[in-house]
Amino acid sequence: MSANKTGTTELPGQTLAEFKQNIPIPAYLMALVVGKIEWREIGPRSRVWAEPTMVDKAAMEFNQTEKMLQIAESICGPYLWGNYDILVLPPSFPFGGMENPTLTYITPTAIAGDGTGLNVIAHEIAHSWTGNLVTHFNFEHFWIKEAFTVFLERKIMGRIYGEPMRQFLAEGGWKDLKDSIEQYGEKNPLTKLHLDLTGLDPTDSFSKVPYEKGSTVIWYWDELYEDSELFDKFIRYFLSKWKFQSITLHNLFETILEFTRKEAPLDVYTKLLNMNTTAWFEEPGLPPYKPEFDSSLSEACVLLAEEWINYDSGNNSVCELTPDNLVPLIPLQKIEFLSLLLQGHPIQEKTISCMDTIYNFSDSGSFHIKFRWLKLGIRSRYKPIVEQVFRFTESQGRIYFNQQLFRDMYDWKEQRVETIETYHRIKNRWMFITRYLVGRELKLFC
Ligand SMILES: [Zn+2]
């Protein structure tokens, strides 16, 4: 329940449970889960709820929840909501997570057993402050809550796994932003931060742009400060000033100017005053500034990707590489390695076949690794991938995965008919929004 329990009363044949939520929050979303669910305790104020087959795995996966909550409190101020629970949804859940107050809904695709889904929990925990305590005024200001939340998510991950991890995740986010803007087209008004949604369905504006372009704004401000403790103090000031309210870009910018004028060195205030707000907030395309990310974790990924690209350009008929070069990489680096290969020219089908044999990504338990592997196979027109793609998209209903995979399959002309047939066969396993967005990729609603 998105509230704290205040008591139960036994009635004949029934139990009446009562809950109370003291914190006001705009009800822009209503969600109800019905099913056979159990819970496990994962911290002094946290339980994880899931179907019986999933609940122990989920408890194991999310055992850092209390630590993340404490880190978030040290940045944002006290957690005011009481309990923080997590509910694992069935595979058809279309999003990574949903920040219902006191009860985060989460996709089961975040549970991989290798830590690749942990940042989703960090993200949803951060929403307890940015998104729930302070909400966006409407969907034209949606980016504000995601900008801070992505920034905080990476800050929490950085406090647990070290600053290079924060930098590594942010660098990956920048690549996602580039891809997303390329997809929309750099002049597309939906790649602006501050949107004009007149006559539009907010669903059509849903992409990585508000998340990644938005978090670049907060990253930029943090860098301007050159003092992360002072910047954390600004975050607490902002949250305390606007708690229980919904805000616009104007409110946010006025608040940072006000805090900076009072608390930060004069040159920071001057730089902030001179910030090209039109370019940052009102213009489409990439932001006017790209951070210099520390590359200590991404270097190994780049080297391995280069090894494969060089191998690809040779004339090898037998697979000569070994799995050894992949072993030292942590799962998030494997994801990055695959993402790098996805950015260059499509690699040859025989090279993909070699990679399939020695790395066996097809059997990866991580949805994020498998997703990128499937995209890579589609790009190289590697036929054995087709069946895996359809099985993967049938097994879950997450927009992020299925929209991209069906888009890529649609572009593979020889597979187009089968792709559309498969969509019609499996679409009813997904929730409406996934059906709609994937159908649009297949040009079915023109
Ligand atoms: Zn979010």
Side-chain angles (χ1 to χ4, degrees):
M1 185 64 152
S2 272
N4 294 299
K5 203 171 187 174
T6 50
T8 51
T9 314
E10 290 304 327
L11 301 171
Q14 290 177 340
T15 303
L16 176 69
E18 289 178 57
F19 298 84
K20 188 158 188 183
Q21 178 54 266
N22 289 316
I23 301 180
I25 176 161
Y28 68 86
L29 176 86
M30 295 273 291
L32 191 68
V33 167
V34 179
K36 187 178 180 195
I37 43 180
E38 294 181 359
W39 59 269
R40 299 284 184 273
E41 204 164 276
I42 50 170
R45 48 187 155 174
S46 301
R47 291 171 174 180
V48 64
W49 301 75
E51 288 176 295
T53 51
M54 187 58 101
V55 70
D56 288 317
K57 250 173 120 179
M60 185 82 85
E61 188 84 20
F62 303 137
N63 62 10
Q64 305 242 37
T65 300
E66 178 59 25
K67 191 171 178 182
M68 287 184 171
L69 276 166
Q70 287 178 16
I71 295 170
E73 284 186 302
S74 74
I75 303 165
C76 302
Y79 179 80
L80 300 179
W81 301 89
N83 296 329
Y84 176 80
D85 287 2
I86 299 168
L87 173 73
V88 182
L89 270 283
S92 58
F93 185 54
F95 304 106
M98 177 58 74
E99 64 269 24
N100 305 311
T102 76
L103 182 65
T104 285
Y105 285 14
I106 196 130
T107 166
T109 63
I111 302 172
D114 62 1
T116 47
L118 272 182
N119 57 325
V120 183
I121 294 296
H123 184 95
E124 302 308 325
I125 283 176
H127 269 315
S128 304
W129 287 267
T130 51
N132 291 349
L133 209 58
V134 178
T135 307
H136 49 290
F137 182 73
N138 59 27
F139 275 80
E140 295 184 341
H141 298 275
F142 172 81
W143 73 274
I144 296 175
K145 75 165 179 131
E146 295 305 339
F148 275 102
T149 302
V150 170
F151 179 81
L152 289 167
E153 161 202 331
R154 291 179 182 149
K155 212 159 161 125
I156 294 169
M157 294 293 282
R159 293 266 177 100
I160 296 178
Y161 300 104
E163 176 62 14
M165 175 60 81
R166 185 175 88 97
Q167 300 271 340
F168 179 65
L169 292 171
E171 190 178 7
W174 180 270
K175 288 200 193 91
D176 285 346
L177 173 62
K178 269 177 67 185
D179 289 349
S180 205
I181 287 176
E182 239 164 62
Q183 198 62 46
Y184 272 101
E186 60 180 3
K187 302 267 185 251
N188 191 320
L190 292 179
T191 63
K192 293 178 186 177
L193 280 181
H194 182 205
L195 295 172
D196 177 1
L197 291 176
T198 312
L200 292 175
D201 182 338
T203 308
D204 294 330
S205 67
F206 190 76
S207 74
K208 283 279 172 187
V209 173
Y211 294 76
E212 299 300 344
K213 190 172 175 179
S215 72
T216 309
V217 175
I218 317 298
W219 186 286
Y220 174 70
W221 286 344
D222 184 35
E223 278 191 2
L224 269 191
Y225 266 61
E226 291 180 21
D227 178 346
S228 63
E229 295 213 351
L230 185 60
F231 192 70
D232 288 357
K233 196 173 164 192
F234 156 68
I235 292 177
R236 287 192 291 280
Y237 177 82
F238 161 70
L239 292 168
S240 159
K241 176 168 176 164
W242 293 105
K243 69 182 172 194
F244 317 140
Q245 297 179 67
S246 303
I247 62 153
T248 61
L249 164 62
H250 177 75
N251 300 138
L252 168 62
F253 200 64
E254 288 292 301
T255 308
I256 192 164
L257 281 177
E258 175 189 307
F259 178 85
T260 309
R261 184 165 35 80
K262 277 194 283 188
E263 302 273 347
L266 182 64
D267 66 311
V268 178
Y269 179 63
T270 311
K271 281 181 196 157
L272 203 57
L273 268 183
N274 293 330
M275 185 177 171
N276 186 346
T277 48
T278 308
W280 277 98
F281 303 121
E282 312 289 351
E283 285 179 2
L286 284 170
Y289 168 75
K290 178 181 185 282
E292 285 283 322
F293 300 107
D294 168 279
S295 60
S296 48
L297 278 172
S298 59
E299 236 159 55
C301 315
V302 173
L303 287 176
L304 185 57
E306 276 171 3
E307 195 176 333
W308 277 98
I309 290 162
N310 291 336
Y311 183 75
D312 187 55
S313 56
N315 208 1
N316 311 288
S317 51
V318 211
C319 185
E320 288 155 347
L321 295 179
T322 70
D324 301 351
N325 43 15
L326 188 77
V327 175
L329 301 194
I330 59 171
L332 286 170
Q333 286 176 305
K334 290 178 189 167
I335 291 174
E336 174 61 11
F337 157 67
L338 289 168
S339 298
L340 287 167
L341 291 181
L342 279 166
Q343 290 194 326
H345 292 292
I347 53 183
Q348 297 172 48
E349 200 183 340
K350 66 177 190 326
T351 308
I352 286 285
S353 169
C354 167
M355 194 182 288
D356 197 9
T357 313
I358 65 170
Y359 289 167
N360 199 18
F361 286 133
S362 305
D363 287 337
S364 171
S366 160
F367 282 77
H368 283 279
I369 290 177
K370 194 145 181 198
F371 164 66
R372 283 163 181 80
W373 163 243
L374 296 175
K375 276 179 75 74
L376 200 60
I378 297 171
R379 266 166 65 97
S380 300
R381 305 300 187 238
Y382 178 52
K383 295 220 170 58
I385 217 75
V386 174
E387 202 201 325
Q388 288 183 44
V389 171
F390 293 148
R391 250 189 288 132
F392 181 86
T393 48
E394 190 174 4
S395 72
Q396 48 72 43
R398 196 165 164 187
I399 297 168
Y400 177 69
F401 296 143
N402 293 355
Q403 190 178 18
Q404 291 188 54
L405 288 170
F406 270 87
R407 179 193 301 147
D408 293 355
M409 286 300 294
Y410 184 85
D411 289 342
W412 188 349
K413 284 204 179 76
E414 299 84 74
Q415 300 297 332
R416 192 173 285 173
V417 172
E418 197 185 344
T419 299
I420 293 173
E421 281 171 7
T422 304
Y423 167 78
H424 286 300
R425 181 171 61 77
I426 67 178
K427 67 181 179 189
N428 289 332
R429 290 172 173 269
W430 306 330
M431 288 175 70
F432 170 77
I433 189 168
T434 310
R435 284 206 301 271
Y436 168 70
L437 291 172
V438 173
R440 212 180 52 177
E441 295 298 337
L442 304 180
K443 320 271 188 274
L444 295 178
F445 311 132
C446 299

